[in-house]
């Protein structure tokens, strides 16, 4: 991998505000919080995002709401000179079973409006780390499902998935290995 391909920016997708805390849609924010804490980096408020920096790694949580996340990512990328291949975006995914984590080098939005916004703003070429929050129950509206608070039985599984995703993100940031391919990880000790 070339130096230009080094991951330098982790973007955790979610919605700001107490109303959205502990919802499936904020799994990306929870991963960003965990990674920033592990880096001993505090978030500072900017106009479109919260930013934590440690050494040459930045962790961002857009404050533009999920469907406009691309505005925040594009703003920071332009300001700091991040290229798409230097970005890792973390988000929820109701198409993945609860507790599963999937890392892909590139890909589509897969119906995720936050990813669609980021792709529209910076193009493709960035890595995606998806945290499984599904499956979507039959007859349930997708927006309602991801924006409702997680039930106590599912909460522990989601916390484990967030912890696993944060570990994968830290490992990726430390190793700067964004090899081609896809990894699905479902157990904390499972190899990538």
């Amino acid at each position: 991998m070339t130096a230009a391909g080094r991951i330098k920016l982790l973007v955790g997708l979610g919605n700001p505000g107490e109303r959205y805390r502990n919802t499936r849609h904020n799994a990306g924010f929870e991963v960003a919080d965990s990674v920033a804490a592990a880096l001993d980096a505090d978030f500072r408020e900017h106009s479109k995002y919260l930013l934590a920096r440690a050494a040459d790694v930045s962790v961002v949580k857009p404050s533009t709401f999920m469907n406009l996340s691309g505005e925040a990512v594009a703003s920071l990328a332009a300001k700091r000179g991040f290229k798409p291949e230097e970005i890792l975006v973390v988000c929820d995914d109701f198409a993945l079973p609860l507790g599963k984590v999937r890392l892909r080098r590139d890909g589509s939005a897969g119906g995720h409006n936050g990813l669609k916004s980021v792709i529209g703003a910076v193009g493709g070429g960035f890595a995606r780390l998806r945290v499984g929050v599904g499956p979507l129950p039959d007859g349930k509206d997708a927006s309602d499902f991801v924006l409702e608070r997680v039930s106590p039985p599912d909460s522990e599984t989601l916390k484990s998935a967030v912890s696993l995703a944060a570990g994968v993100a830290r490992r990726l940031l430390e190793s700067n290995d964004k090899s081609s391919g896809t990894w699905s990880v479902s157990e904390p000790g499972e190899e990538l």
Side-chain angles (χ1 to χ4, degrees):
M1 174 177 298
T2 66
R6 235 180 116 241
I7 297 292
K8 297 179 182 177
L9 174 64
L10 182 146
V11 178
L13 298 186
N15 285 317
E18 188 60 36
R19 175 178 177 213
Y20 301 102
R21 189 178 308 277
N22 299 320
T23 64
R24 289 172 180 83
H25 223 22
N26 271 22
F29 271 16
E30 292 181 36
V31 171
D33 287 339
S34 179
V35 170
L39 295 171
D40 198 25
D42 295 322
F43 284 99
R44 294 188 182 186
E45 192 169 345
H46 295 262
S47 63
K48 294 184 178 187
Y49 50 83
L50 300 175
L51 177 66
R53 296 182 63 201
D56 62 345
V57 174
S58 297
V59 179
V60 68
K61 298 190 309 184
S63 53
T64 54
F65 287 90
M66 182 70 77
N67 295 353
L68 300 174
S69 296
E71 292 179 11
V73 178
S75 173
L76 181 60
K79 184 175 183 177
R80 305 265 183 201
F82 293 118
K83 298 175 183 130
E85 63 269 16
E86 298 172 329
I87 301 171
L88 171 65
V89 176
V90 184
C91 65
D92 63 295
D93 188 339
F94 64 75
L96 283 177
L98 182 67
K100 191 117 177 153
V101 172
R102 178 174 292 153
L103 173 65
R104 284 204 173 142
R105 179 181 177 156
D106 198 353
S108 71
H112 194 285
N113 288 332
L115 282 176
K116 188 184 304 180
S117 177
V118 176
I119 291 168
V122 301
F126 58 88
R128 294 115 162 96
L129 182 58
R130 295 175 184 254
V131 178
V133 298
L136 178 66
D138 289 338
K140 183 85 170 183
D141 178 75
S143 294
D144 291 341
F145 177 67
V146 297
L147 292 174
E148 66 188 17
R149 298 223 185 242
V150 180
S151 66
D154 289 347
S155 180
E156 288 306 311
T157 304
L158 183 56
K159 283 181 187 175
S160 293
V162 164
S163 178
L164 177 60
V168 169
R170 285 193 315 272
R171 181 174 169 185
L172 186 62
L173 290 167
E174 290 167 5
S175 71
N176 293 303
D177 178 14
K178 194 178 66 164
S179 306
S180 63
T182 300
W183 299 268
S184 291
V185 185
S186 58
E187 298 298 327
E190 192 171 335
E191 289 295 315
L192 283 178

